[in-house]
């Protein structure tokens, strides 16, 4: 088994990809999570796994969606099944919207809030419990200045990121 194992959600691009690559460069085996996009011929999670493996690292892809309550347990099971342990969880999956509050509808607001806030909770409920039970581990939650100060055109995103700050403080 590797010395350390991490789950990184939203690891197909941007910050999540950077986290996965950096952890791998430090010898950490990585569960690379990113939902599939209909227009991708190759899933972004697969591209990142291929990149990690090409550099000599260990990684496995997962395509669970952040808003699916089953994804957190699925990721924990994959980490334990593939690598035998879990040490780090980086909750990075998220989406933003581009609409002022006056132009949003309930469905779009709820979807953004669900992916960003509840999606992180869905990931952390089983994985935090596991880390807590083994009395060791690290959790990192990606948030934003929008959660502290709000941002025009990102009301649901701002609300979700503020909620994540509260969640982190409570953990």
């Amino acid at each position: 088994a590797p010395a350390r194992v991490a789950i990184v959600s939203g690891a197909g691009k941007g910050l999540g990809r950077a986290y996965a690559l950096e952890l791998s460069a430090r010898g950490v085996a990585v569960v690379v999570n990113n939902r599939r996009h209909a227009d991708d011929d190759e899933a972004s999670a697969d591209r990142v796994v291929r990149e990690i493996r090409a550099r000599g690292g260990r990684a496995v892809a997962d395509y669970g969606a952040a808003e699916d309550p089953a994804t957190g347990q699925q990721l924990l099971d994959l980490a334990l099944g593939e690598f035998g342990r879990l040490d780090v969880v980086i909750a990075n999956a998220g989406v933003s919207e581009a609409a002022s509050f006056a132009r949003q509808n309930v469905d779009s607001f709820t979807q953004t809030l669900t992916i960003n806030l509840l999606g992180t909770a869905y990931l952390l409920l089983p994985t935090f419990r596991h880390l807590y039970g083994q009395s060791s581990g690290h959790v990192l939650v990606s948030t934003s200045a929008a959660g502290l100060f709000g941002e025009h055109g990102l009301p649901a995103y701002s609300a979700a990121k503020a909620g994540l700050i509260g969640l982190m403080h409570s953990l």
Side-chain angles (χ1 to χ4, degrees):
R4 294 200 183 262
V5 175
I7 292 169
V8 182
S9 70
K13 62 182 179 178
L15 278 177
R17 176 181 169 272
Y19 293 140
L21 294 175
E22 179 63 25
L23 286 166
S24 174
R26 294 172 180 247
V28 177
V30 183
V31 176
V32 176
N33 164 259
N34 209 91
R35 65 186 168 91
R36 289 184 187 270
H37 296 274
D39 54 352
D40 282 345
D41 23 331
E42 181 185 28
S44 57
D46 290 328
R47 284 193 295 273
V48 174
V49 166
R50 189 166 25 85
E51 195 173 351
I52 288 170
R53 289 179 179 167
R55 297 176 183 188
R58 296 179 66 185
V60 62
D62 176 84
Y63 318 103
E67 65 272 26
D68 181 350
T71 294
Q73 186 64 50
Q74 174 182 309
L75 287 165
L76 175 59
D77 292 345
L78 182 58
L80 296 176
E82 190 76 21
F83 301 118
R85 61 183 296 139
L86 177 64
D87 304 282
V88 177
V89 178
I90 299 183
N92 179 70
V95 297
S96 63
E97 78 269 54
S100 68
F101 193 64
R103 294 175 186 242
Q104 280 199 333
N105 61 46
V106 169
D107 290 341
S108 67
F109 189 90
T110 301
Q111 180 183 19
T112 300
L113 200 62
T114 298
I115 291 169
N116 288 289
L117 178 57
L118 295 180
T120 296
Y122 297 155
L123 171 60
L124 293 182
L125 281 164
T127 58
F128 183 84
R129 188 178 304 118
H130 177 82
L131 297 175
Y132 187 84
Q134 69 187 18
S135 299
S136 69
H138 305 277
V139 173
L140 184 140
V141 175
S142 291
T143 186
S144 168
L148 291 172
F149 307 109
E151 188 168 331
H152 179 74
L154 298 173
Y157 179 84
S158 297
K161 295 301 183 175
L164 289 176
I165 294 167
L167 176 61
M168 289 187 309
H169 284 303
S170 73
L171 297 182

